[in-house]
Amino acid sequence: MALLEVKGLTKRFGGLTAVKRLDFHLDEGEILGMIGPNGAGKTTVFNLITGIYPPDGGEIRLNGQSLLGLRPHVITELGIARTFQNIRLFANITALENVMAGQHCRTRAGVLGAIFRLRSQRLEEQRILREAERCLRFLGLYEKRHELAKNLPYGDQRRLEIARALATGPQLLILDEPTAGMSEKESSELMDIISQVRDSGVTILLIEHDMKVVMGISDRIIALDNGEKIAEGRPAEVQRNQRVIEAYLGKEEV
Amino acid sequence: MKDLFLRLKGIDQRWWYLALALGIILFPWFTSNYWISVAVFFGIYALLGLSLNIILGYAGLFQLGHAAFWAVGAYTTAILNTRYGIPIFVTLPISALVSALFAILITKPILHLRGDYLCLVTIGFGEIVRLFLFNDPLGITGGINGIRGIDRPSIFGFVFHQPIHYYYLTLAFVVFTIFAMRRLENSRLGRAWIYVREDELAAEAMGIDTTQVKLLAFIIGAAWAGVAGTLYASRYTVIAPETFSFWNSCVMFCIVIIGGVGSIPGVLVGTLGMVVLPELLRDVLEEVVQWRMLVFGAAMMLMMIFRPEGFWPSPIRRHELRAAELTASE
């Protein structure tokens, strides 16, 4: 059974159909790249999967369980974590505190635990800290853990978002243009990290605008244009696909 | 002079805290009943400020109807005590519980509102509660006259009836509240409030049930205000609707904003400014009593112009405010 299954997914904004009867699936342990020109509907698909928008039609299933109508935090708890295209860190707190947010849905301490510092609460706090530090190390940010998120350089902020998402303990990690605005060197380093994340057992869905980045790392690619799937397959196949080339470069005038 | 300042600064901080603690404990022995009463008043408002700070400071929810929760606590105690003779220390937890339930009832439908919209609704429910108490449709709140004859709290036969007794009772509550708030700040829930305040969508995407976290802020804040209401009712033995007016919700709001949003010492400084300062001005400006509120209002305006983050802000809040100002000026 596929880890994630999307069938007939449709989303309209007023008169505009942003996503049209989209079908795709993700197998466990793979990296699926989603490409398409600006406005193709990639981010909308992400927002539908993570429950930020309700779809107008279709079905989304994780491990066979429907995600329709679930609130975003429940979907995260079920095992889907994401990053944002325009970075959405908690800017005014430290990198470590940012990543600790990810552990919230895996822990339970409440008001009384906090006030009376019960043993279970103290142990849980230690666990949160250890897990957050592990994720920071994984992304190479451990040394900068006490810096405020907003004071980190741009590339570090992108990586911090991934660390925060990983701290939720996801089965599926959704990355929305993780290399946007990065130098070539930074983005190739990030691709190495993403491969490592996959090797640690997390399935990855990756939006990329930049074809070069996504071709090297993805097992499979789907291409969107105007909210519709125009191609699907191995990177080399999709790259040669006539409709994909047209979508990116425009149709040749005859 | 500068030398003296440096030498004072060199003293270990712990000595300052010890001196402060001693000063607070010994205060009633060196002063008049009038100032002890002012101190008790300060304590009750400090509790109200700290309870509002959970909602406004930690969770960042604009709440301008906090007097409603205070009123629910005070009236619960007054009704249970005068009608059924239930002792104050028993009505205390009941009041906290009733205020909390009341908070669930009225804030659950409005939690999705943001900023100014939420603010307007809270003003609305504050007024509804006041008018309910005033018009007394159920015949239990005593209408405009309120409720009189509320007992003093007593424990093991000891009755807290003098100002000095009340001073220590209130002090105990304030100390416990500060202790509890500090622990809440540094907990899983305290962090969740920061996340929600900083970026609600990102918090939700990180698996935080933002509705529940915001509701919890209202529940805890309301319960604590209910406790403050019980203390108030039993201190003055008389309560009336006008005490729980919009103006008092504003005073609590200002305590948190002027003191420093999200900061415990800030709230205490804010309470000094909003509650004790007008009393001091009463002495200084005896000749021109009508100037008192004018000076007070002008001071608030100057404060917001020159130090919008408050007297003693929490570091996170200062960063947030600076960042907001930068984006606004861009």
Side-chain angles (χ1 to χ4, degrees), chain A residues 71-73 76 82 88 90-93 97 100-101 104-105 107-109 111 114-115 117 125 128 148 150, chain B residues 179-180 183 187-189 191-192 194-195 198-199 201-211 220 316 319-320:
Chain A
R71 288 186 46 206
H73 74 267
T76 307
R82 69 171 293 173
R88 297 192 81 138
F90 307 118
N92 301 296
I93 54 179
E97 287 164 329
M100 285 165 87
H104 188 91
C105 63
T107 47
R108 285 289 155 261
V111 182
I115 293 176
R117 291 257 159 103
E125 284 290 299
I128 294 170
L148 295 184
K150 65 175 174 188
Chain B
F179 164 84
R183 289 197 153 181
S187 74
R188 172 174 173 271
L189 186 59
R191 285 192 303 272
I194 297 175
Y195 303 142
E198 283 257 327
D199 187 333
L201 181 69
E204 181 82 31
M206 287 309 115
I208 292 164
D209 185 346
T210 54
T211 311
I220 303 170
I316 299 172
H319 287 303
E320 285 175 9

Side-chain angles (χ1 to χ4, degrees), chain B residues 4-330:
Chain B
L4 179 73
F5 182 70
L6 279 177
R7 275 174 61 188
L8 283 176
K9 242 187 142 176
I11 299 171
D12 192 330
Q13 258 196 337
R14 275 171 296 184
W15 289 107
W16 286 113
Y17 284 121
L18 192 70
L20 184 67
L22 269 177
I24 290 170
I25 291 168
L26 296 177
F27 171 78
W29 302 96
F30 296 96
T31 187
S32 65
N33 270 350
Y34 171 71
W35 284 107
I36 295 176
S37 294
V38 171
V40 171
F41 204 59
F42 165 84
I44 289 171
Y45 268 88
L47 288 175
L48 289 169
L50 288 167
S51 68
L52 178 61
N53 189 42
I54 300 172
I55 301 167
L56 177 61
Y58 299 160
L61 301 163
F62 279 5
Q63 141 79 320
L64 252 172
H66 206 54
F69 299 138
W70 185 28
V72 171
Y75 271 87
T76 304
T77 282
I79 292 166
L80 290 177
N81 179 258
T82 56
R83 290 190 171 238
Y84 306 103
I86 299 172
I88 298 298
F89 278 117
V90 180
T91 67
L92 185 89
I94 300 174
S95 290
L97 207 68
V98 172
S99 283
L101 286 174
F102 178 70
I104 295 174
L105 209 69
I106 56 170
T107 58
K108 207 159 183 201
I110 59 169
L111 277 178
H112 62 281
L113 296 175
R114 277 153 216 260
D116 14 15
Y117 299 99
L118 181 70
C119 189
L120 279 176
V121 179
T122 58
I123 293 174
F125 76 60
E127 279 303 278
I128 289 170
V129 167
R130 190 183 63 82
L131 288 170
F132 178 89
L133 299 173
F134 187 85
N135 292 319
D136 196 13
L138 300 180
I140 50 171
T141 62
I144 188 170
N145 296 320
I147 298 175
R148 53 186 65 242
I150 303 159
D151 283 341
R152 304 277 188 190
S154 63
I155 193 162
F156 304 125
F158 176 80
V159 183
F160 292 81
H161 67 281
Q162 285 178 8
I164 193 165
H165 299 156
Y166 243 88
Y167 178 86
Y168 288 114
L169 183 68
T170 313
L171 181 62
F173 273 95
V174 173
V175 168
F176 174 72
T177 305
I178 293 170
F179 164 84
M181 295 299 143
R182 285 196 55 151
R183 289 197 153 181
L184 267 180
E185 273 181 6
N186 300 305
S187 74
R188 172 174 173 271
L189 186 59
R191 285 192 303 272
W193 284 327
I194 297 175
Y195 303 142
V196 169
R197 198 175 74 205
E198 283 257 327
D199 187 333
E200 200 170 328
L201 181 69
E204 181 82 31
M206 287 309 115
I208 292 164
D209 185 346
T210 54
T211 311
Q212 188 203 35
V213 162
K214 290 194 285 185
L215 186 62
L216 267 175
F218 267 114
I219 291 173
I220 303 170
W224 235 283
V227 169
T230 300
L231 284 179
Y232 178 85
S234 64
R235 164 72 179 91
Y236 294 97
T237 69
V238 182
I239 54 170
E242 82 241 44
T243 306
F244 308 101
S245 61
F246 176 60
W247 167 248
N248 265 315
S249 289
C250 286
V251 168
M252 293 175 217
F253 196 84
C254 294
I255 283 175
V256 178
I257 301 283
I258 289 180
V261 193
S263 147
I264 295 167
V267 170
L268 299 177
V269 173
T271 314
L272 275 177
M274 292 297 295
V275 178
V276 181
L277 189 66
E279 290 302 320
L280 289 171
L281 287 176
R282 194 199 294 272
D283 283 1
V284 179
L285 301 175
E286 210 167 4
E287 311 286 296
V288 273
V289 166
Q290 65 271 39
W291 282 44
R292 191 162 69 104
M293 292 322 271
L294 188 93
V295 171
F296 184 58
M300 280 178 65
M301 282 169 63
L302 290 174
M303 176 78 201
M304 282 299 101
I305 293 168
F306 293 109
R307 207 175 155 81
E309 69 263 43
F311 268 110
W312 196 326
S314 80
I316 299 172
R317 274 301 199 160
R318 190 163 44 212
H319 287 303
E320 285 175 9
L321 209 79
R322 296 255 168 84
E325 273 186 350
L326 272 178
T327 30
S329 63
E330 261 168 17

Side-chain angles (χ1 to χ4, degrees), chain A residues 103-162:
Chain A
Q103 276 285 300
H104 188 91
C105 63
R106 304 286 169 228
T107 47
R108 285 289 155 261
V111 182
L112 294 180
I115 293 176
F116 298 107
R117 291 257 159 103
L118 307 173
R119 197 181 134 74
S120 61
Q121 190 261 358
R122 290 198 310 270
L123 290 175
E124 197 179 89
E125 284 290 299
Q126 285 170 16
R127 210 173 71 224
I128 294 170
L129 201 63
R130 267 202 310 273
E131 183 57 25
E133 286 175 350
R134 190 186 68 81
C135 294
L136 282 166
R137 265 199 206 94
F138 199 91
L139 273 295
L141 289 167
Y142 184 73
E143 266 62 48
K144 298 180 176 174
R145 66 192 181 283
H146 295 308
E147 302 233 7
L148 295 184
K150 65 175 174 188
N151 292 342
L152 291 173
Y154 185 78
D156 286 350
Q157 293 194 6
R158 286 235 168 258
R159 285 189 293 162
L160 183 56
E161 268 215 328
I162 299 176

Side-chain angles (χ1 to χ4, degrees), chain A residues 43-215:
Chain A
T43 299
T44 306
V45 172
F46 277 23
N47 285 336
L48 291 168
I49 296 173
T50 53
I52 291 177
Y53 303 144
D56 293 312
E59 181 58 86
I60 306 166
R61 288 175 183 278
L62 180 74
N63 290 318
Q65 184 190 350
S66 172
L67 302 181
L68 293 191
L70 298 182
R71 288 186 46 206
H73 74 267
V74 180
I75 292 174
T76 307
E77 213 175 319
L78 287 174
I80 299 183
R82 69 171 293 173
T83 64
F84 293 89
Q85 188 178 353
N86 44 347
I87 301 176
R88 297 192 81 138
L89 288 166
F90 307 118
N92 301 296
I93 54 179
T94 65
L96 180 66
E97 287 164 329
N98 264 276
V99 179
M100 285 165 87
Q103 276 285 300
H104 188 91
C105 63
R106 304 286 169 228
T107 47
R108 285 289 155 261
V111 182
L112 294 180
I115 293 176
F116 298 107
R117 291 257 159 103
L118 307 173
R119 197 181 134 74
S120 61
Q121 190 261 358
R122 290 198 310 270
L123 290 175
E124 197 179 89
E125 284 290 299
Q126 285 170 16
R127 210 173 71 224
I128 294 170
L129 201 63
R130 267 202 310 273
E131 183 57 25
E133 286 175 350
R134 190 186 68 81
C135 294
L136 282 166
R137 265 199 206 94
F138 199 91
L139 273 295
L141 289 167
Y142 184 73
E143 266 62 48
K144 298 180 176 174
R145 66 192 181 283
H146 295 308
E147 302 233 7
L148 295 184
K150 65 175 174 188
N151 292 342
L152 291 173
Y154 185 78
D156 286 350
Q157 293 194 6
R158 286 235 168 258
R159 285 189 293 162
L160 183 56
E161 268 215 328
I162 299 176
R164 186 178 66 173
L166 276 181
T168 64
Q171 285 177 281
L172 171 61
L173 179 62
I174 301 188
L175 302 171
D176 197 347
E177 299 207 22
T179 65
M182 281 188 172
S183 70
E184 207 151 312
K185 182 168 162 286
E186 280 177 319
S187 52
S188 87
E189 280 171 8
L190 188 65
M191 286 303 130
D192 288 343
I193 291 174
I194 292 173
S195 299
Q196 284 171 33
V197 172
R198 189 264 306 271
D199 295 341
S200 74
V202 180
T203 309
I204 290 167
L205 175 56
L206 176 71
I207 284 190
E208 257 304 338
H209 192 68
D210 183 348
M211 296 267 269
K212 259 187 302 189
V213 172
V214 80
M215 290 299 164

